[in-house]
Amino acid sequence: MKTVVPLSDEKLNYAAEMLRLMGHAVRLRIIELLEQHGELPAGAFHQRLDELQPTVSQHLNKMRALGLLRARRQAGQVFYSVAQPQLLKLLQCVRDCEL
């Protein structure tokens, strides 16, 4: 039998916040786009998601603030990538769920 180490309160609280934040279809789609492309400029998201730019910016900023996304500036543009590769496992878990 495998020994299971209990999660710390800090880790549980972070996980709850991360799962709450990722419980939105647009945010899951953002991770899916980054899984496919590795990195995208901020402007590419609203075009590919068919969402308004301010709405997408709010999603990106919330995900970045929690440390889920990485942002870097280059030539006046902000490029986003996944900062927590475990999110890709979450995406696969969603794919594996039956409807």
Side-chain angles (χ1 to χ4, degrees), residues 1-7 89:
M1 181 181 237
K2 183 178 177 182
T3 303
V4 177
V5 178
L7 296 168
K89 291 179 184 178

Side-chain angles (χ1 to χ4, degrees), residues 21-37 40 44-51 56 59-60 63 69 82 87-88 91 94-95:
L21 192 67
M22 291 308 303
H24 194 288
V26 171
R27 294 178 190 145
L28 288 170
R29 188 68 73 197
I30 287 169
I31 296 300
E32 189 174 47
L33 286 170
L34 291 172
E35 178 186 45
Q36 294 167 0
H37 300 281
L40 285 171
F45 290 100
H46 78 87
Q47 295 166 352
R48 293 169 190 217
L49 297 171
D50 196 28
E51 295 281 340
V56 173
H59 289 299
L60 291 170
M63 294 170 74
L69 297 182
V82 174
L87 287 175
L88 303 179
L91 202 57
V94 172
R95 285 185 183 115

